[in-house]
C-alpha cells in the first residue's frame, strides 16, 4: 500500500517548496512527468503513439482556489486539445482531468463551476475527435464526480471516469456503470483513506480490484484496466479470454515512466494500451504519490540530493 508519510507530505506546503524548488530533483521528476509546457507533452505523445501506444494527457494541478485559476485550467485544456488536433494526434490522445482542478473544491458554487468548465473541455474534445476521462480524487469527492459524469454523459456518452478499488462503495459503482458505451478506468486508488470507507491492506485492495474487474469485464461497458500489477494484468487477459471479450473491447492503462517495457509488450501483442501522461508546472502532489507507491523510488530521490549527483 502507498507510504502514508509520503501521502501526507504530498499535501504539505513546506515540503512542496523544498522539493519543487530543488534543481536536483528534476531528473527523477522527468521520469514521471512529461515536461511543463504543451510542446514538451506533445513531443512525448508523438513518440509514444509512434510505438503503437495511446495516451491520456493530464494537465497537473489540483486544489484550485479561485474561479480565475479554474478557468485558466479549462483554457489550458482547450489549447492542449487544439495542439493535439494540429499535430494530428487527437484520435490516439485523449485528456484526463480532475474536478478539483476545474473548480470543484471552490467554496461557493464549486460543483456548478466544475460541471460547466468540464463541459467546455468535453465540447472541445468532441470538436477534434478526442475524448475525456475524469480522474477520481479522495473519497469525499466521489459523489460529486459521478454526478458531473452522469450530466456530461447525456451529451457526451464517451466521457470516462476512474473508480478506485480500495473504496468499499466501488463494486456498487462498477455495477451501475457497467452498461453499454460506459468507459470506466479501474485503479487501486492513490489516496490515504480511512478504514471506514476503504479497504486498507494490500491483499484486500487486490481482492476488491479482482471483484470490480469481474463486474466490469462481464458487463457491457468498455473497461480501462489501469494497473502495473502483473498478476492483475494476467487475470484481465484470462477474464477476456474466458468471456470472449475482444482486444478492442477493453484497454490497459499505465503511468508514464512505469513498466515501460510491459506497455510496449502489450501493445506489440495487439492489446490496446494507453499511457497516462502528466505534464505541467504543478507536478509536486502527483510526483509524491508516485514516490509513495514504491519505496525504491525514494532511493532515486535520495540519490538525487547527494552532492555531485547528476540528477
Ligand atoms: C492510467 C492510470 C490512471 C490512474 N488514475 C488514478 C485516479 O484517477 N485516481 C487514483 O486514485 N489513482 C489513480 N491511479 C493510481 C492508482 O490508483 C495506483 O496508485 C497506481 O496505479 C499503483 O497501483 P498498481 O495498480 O500499479 O499496483 P501496485 O501494487 O501499487 O504496483 C504493482 C507493481 O507496479 C509497479 N509500480 C506501481 N507503482 C509504481 C511506481 N510509482 N513506481 C515504480 N513502479 C511502480 C511496481 O513494480 C509494483 O510492484 C492511476 C493509475 C494509472 C495506471
Amino acid at each position: 500500500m502507498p507510504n502514508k508519510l509520503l501521502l501526507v507530505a504530498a499535501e504539505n506546503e513546506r515540503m512542496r517548496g523544498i522539493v519543487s524548488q530543488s534543481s536536483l530533483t528534476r531528473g527523477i521528476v522527468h521520469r514521471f512527468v512529461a515536461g511543463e509546457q504543451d510542446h514538451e507533452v506533445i513531443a512525448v505523445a508523438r513518440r509514444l503513439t509512434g510505438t503503437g501506444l495511446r495516451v491520456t494527457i493530464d494537465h497537473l494541478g489540483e486544489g484550485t482556489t479561485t474561479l480565475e485559476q479554474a478557468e485558466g485550467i479549462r483554457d489550458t485544456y482547450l489549447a492542449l486539445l487544439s495542439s493535439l488536433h494540429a499535430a494530428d494526434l487527437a484520435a490516439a490522445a485523449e485528456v484526463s482531468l480532475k474536478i478539483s482542478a476545474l473548480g470543484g473544491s471552490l467554496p461557493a458554487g464549486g460543483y456548478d463551476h466544475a460541471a460547466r468548465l468540464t463541459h467546455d473541455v468535453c465540447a472541445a474534445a468532441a470538436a477534434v475527435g478526442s475524448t475525456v476521462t475524469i480522474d477520481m480524487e479522495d473519497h469525499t469527492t466521489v459523489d460529486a464526480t459521478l454526478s458531473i459524469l452522469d450530466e456530461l454523459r447525456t451529451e457526451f456518452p464517451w466521457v470516462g471516469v476512474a473508480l478506485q478499488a480500495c473504496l468499499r462503495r466501488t463494486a456498487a459503482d462498477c455495477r451501475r456503470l457497467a452498461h453499454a458505451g460506459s468507459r470506466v478506468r479501474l485503479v487501486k486508488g492513490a489516496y490515504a483513506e480511512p478504514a471506514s470507507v476503504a479497504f486498507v491492506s494490500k491483499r484486500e485492495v487486490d481482492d476488491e480490484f479482482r471483484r470490480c474487474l469481474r463486474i466490469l469485464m462481464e458487463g457491457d461497458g468498455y473497461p480501462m484496466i489501469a494497473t502495473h500489477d502483473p498478476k492483475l494484468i494476467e487475470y484481465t487477459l484470462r477474464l477476456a479470454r474466458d468471456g470472449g471479450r475482444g482486444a478492442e473491447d477493453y484497454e490497459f492503462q499505465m503511468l508514464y515512466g512505469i513498466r515501460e517495457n510491459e506497455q510496449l509488450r502489450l501493445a506489440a501483442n495487439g492489446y490496446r494500451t494507453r499511457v497516462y501522461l502528466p505534464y505541467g508546472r504543478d507536478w509536486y502532489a502527483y510526483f509524491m504519490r508516485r514516490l509513495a507507491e514504491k519505496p525504491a523510488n525514494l532511493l532515486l530521490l535520495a540519490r538525487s540530493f547527494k552532492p555531485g549527483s547528476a540528477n
Side-chain angles (χ1 to χ4, degrees), residues 26 61 73 88 94 107 110 178 195 199 202 240 264 266 311:
R26 288 299 150 103
I73 289 170
D88 206 15
E94 65 151 31
F199 300 101
K202 176 172 166 48
L264 292 170
L266 286 168
N311 274 342

Side-chain angles (χ1 to χ4, degrees), residues 167-217:
L167 296 184
R168 295 179 189 276
R169 61 175 286 165
T170 293
D173 290 330
C174 285
R175 257 179 234 111
R176 188 175 75 77
L177 289 172
H179 56 78
S182 171
R183 297 168 68 241
V184 174
R185 174 201 294 159
L186 184 62
V187 302
K188 288 190 185 177
Y191 296 82
E193 301 285 13
S196 53
V197 297
F199 300 101
V200 281
S201 78
K202 176 172 166 48
R203 173 139 180 239
E204 281 177 314
V205 174
D206 287 358
D207 286 349
E208 196 61 12
F209 193 102
R210 282 193 184 81
R211 180 170 170 228
C212 293
L213 184 59
R214 280 195 301 274
I215 296 169
L216 295 175
M217 293 293 280

